[in-house]
Amino acid sequence: MNPQAKLLSITSLFLGSTITITSNHWIMAWTGLEINTLAILPLISKSHHPRAIEAATKYFLVQAAASALLLFSSMTNAWYTGQWDITQLTHPTSCLLLTTAISIKLGLVPFHFWFPEVLQGTSLTTGLLLATALKFPPITLLLLTSPSLNPTFLTILAIASTALGGWAGLNQTQTRKILAFSSISHLGWMAIILVYNPKLTLITFYLYCLMTIPIFLTLDTIKTLKLTTMSTAWTKIPPLTATLMLMLLSLAGLPPLTGFLPKWLIIQELTKQEMTPTATIIALLSLLGLFFYLRLAYCATITLPPNSINHMKQWQTNKSTKMFITTFITLSIMLLPLSPMIFTTS
């Protein structure tokens, strides 16, 4: 891809996200989301493979429909209340339409069908942007409107997302699709606590990004796209493959790793809100995700290929990449001791 075109796309992504996050007016927020959509399309389709073109087309159609619904929601609210301010979304129909529009943008169940297909059709680096950076502006809009949203509707979406994210990931063999269903499952955890503790949703999103970034970067470094090739990846960079197991277990939410922290805080908050059955259901559903994370970890570190080729191991990667990945690996594994500080700030 042309470096100037890539720079323009990445700059537009930053601009669109900044406009949406900092705006108070619905039209400005919608404009930022549209800039984001148009900026990521060249990055999705840059390989010119038919699968990439298909992914870009699907992404554009879904995001355009969601943006139109979001604009319709804000116009309906302005019609009834005379308010274009994001925090003044009070009309029930507008709130329902907004939740649906943002759910489509994020890929919450039952509007999730596009996300695994788009992620499968792109490179791992573009998939990383789709799974982390491009989810931040829609989540910000949900945070700003959280006092007006319907908690029952969000709880249904959240439990369905956690369940389907776990079930659908069980029989996948493509690492990008597994990470897509993992993202859908984690979005369920963020959505379930949104109305009761918006700060906790933001903390969960930040920690999810911290855990997902090194996994995508590691898979990109060892050039692994399928489970079958993951079993031979340990011969390339053994230390990186060994830490991949810890990162996957952290994403699954096992103590004493970083991923346990958001799940612990969310279950605690749901119990305080007297939603113990909901907390129990979502905790049990996370076991489905644990199974396919364990399968990934097993393929990466324990499975030996039947015919291993003897060649020199690549003990060192590119120095700039190595420092970047090492920082994120450390954060994705060892942040649990910071939980007392998060308790005091939230």
Side-chain angles (χ1 to χ4, degrees):
M1 188 178 180
N2 189 343
Q4 285 83 7
K6 187 181 284 188
L7 179 64
L8 182 64
S9 292
I10 293 170
T11 309
S12 299
L13 278 175
F14 278 112
L15 177 66
S17 299
T18 307
I19 288 173
T20 303
I21 292 163
T22 56
S23 59
N24 292 318
H25 199 282
W26 276 114
I27 298 295
M28 287 301 292
W30 172 80
T31 306
L33 291 173
E34 287 299 295
I35 292 172
N36 268 356
T37 302
L38 295 174
I40 196 68
L41 289 176
L43 295 176
I44 296 174
S45 58
K46 67 180 177 182
S47 65
H48 301 296
H49 190 273
R51 193 68 185 263
I53 304 299
E54 180 190 342
T57 308
K58 285 179 180 175
Y59 184 78
F60 173 73
L61 292 174
V62 170
Q63 296 298 312
S67 294
L69 199 58
L70 184 139
L71 198 58
F72 179 62
S73 150
S74 57
M75 287 174 67
T76 308
N77 186 69
W79 179 271
Y80 282 103
T81 64
Q83 289 287 342
W84 280 99
D85 195 284
I86 292 176
T87 55
Q88 300 299 318
L89 190 81
T90 52
H91 194 264
T93 308
S94 299
C95 294
L96 197 64
L97 287 171
L98 176 82
T99 309
T100 306
I102 300 295
S103 300
I104 295 171
K105 279 200 166 289
L106 290 173
L108 279 168
V109 176
F111 315 106
H112 67 286
F113 298 102
W114 64 273
F115 189 55
E117 296 298 322
V118 170
L119 219 63
Q120 179 62 24
T122 63
S123 64
L124 280 163
T125 46
T126 310
L128 173 59
L129 285 174
L130 287 169
T132 54
L134 285 176
K135 291 194 185 298
F136 189 43
I139 284 178
T140 307
L141 292 178
L142 276 183
L143 288 170
L144 290 171
T145 55
S146 58
S148 311
L149 301 180
N150 186 341
T152 309
F153 184 49
L154 273 173
T155 304
I156 292 168
L157 289 179
I159 290 176
S161 298
T162 312
L164 193 130
W167 277 114
L170 290 178
N171 63 345
Q172 298 298 328
T173 57
Q174 302 284 336
T175 52
R176 284 169 294 184
K177 278 198 174 180
I178 290 174
L179 289 170
F181 285 114
S182 158
S183 178
I184 291 168
S185 179
H186 278 85
L187 282 170
W189 282 86
M190 294 174 212
I192 202 163
I193 205 66
L194 179 70
V195 175
Y196 308 105
N197 193 339
K199 281 185 183 177
L200 193 45
T201 298
L202 205 55
I203 290 170
T204 307
F205 177 72
Y206 288 152
L207 292 177
Y208 165 72
C209 290
L210 274 180
M211 293 181 290
T212 305
I213 288 169
I215 291 176
F216 270 98
L217 293 177
T218 301
L219 292 176
D220 187 51
T221 304
I222 61 180
K223 300 291 182 284
T224 301
L225 297 176
K226 294 184 290 186
L227 288 181
T228 50
T229 55
M230 190 173 264
S231 60
T232 58
W234 69 273
T235 58
K236 296 177 184 175
I237 312 171
L240 197 59
T241 315
T243 51
L244 177 62
M245 180 181 70
L246 288 175
M247 290 185 279
L248 289 165
L249 294 179
S250 179
L251 199 59
L254 286 183
L257 304 170
T258 303
F260 176 64
L261 179 56
K263 289 182 168 60
W264 173 27
L265 294 176
I266 288 170
I267 290 172
Q268 188 180 36
E269 185 64 32
L270 287 173
T271 311
K272 283 180 187 174
Q273 299 292 338
E274 298 182 356
M275 295 175 67
T276 310
T278 309
T280 308
I281 290 168
I282 201 166
L284 289 173
L285 288 173
S286 68
L287 293 175
L288 295 168
L290 174 63
F291 179 82
F292 64 72
Y293 292 126
L294 282 173
R295 190 171 64 144
L296 270 174
Y298 178 79
C299 289
T301 55
I302 302 172
T303 307
L304 287 176
N307 298 312
S308 59
I309 302 167
N310 292 322
H311 60 80
M312 191 176 291
K313 294 178 175 59
Q314 182 187 350
W315 287 94
Q316 290 190 351
T317 56
N318 187 0
K319 286 190 177 179
S320 59
T321 311
K322 187 167 67 173
M323 182 57 69
F324 194 63
I325 295 179
T326 307
T327 306
F328 275 105
I329 288 173
T330 308
L331 291 172
S332 72
I333 295 172
M334 303 176 68
L335 271 187
L336 191 63
L338 291 181
S339 52
M341 186 178 73
I342 293 174
F343 282 139
T344 55
T345 55
S346 61

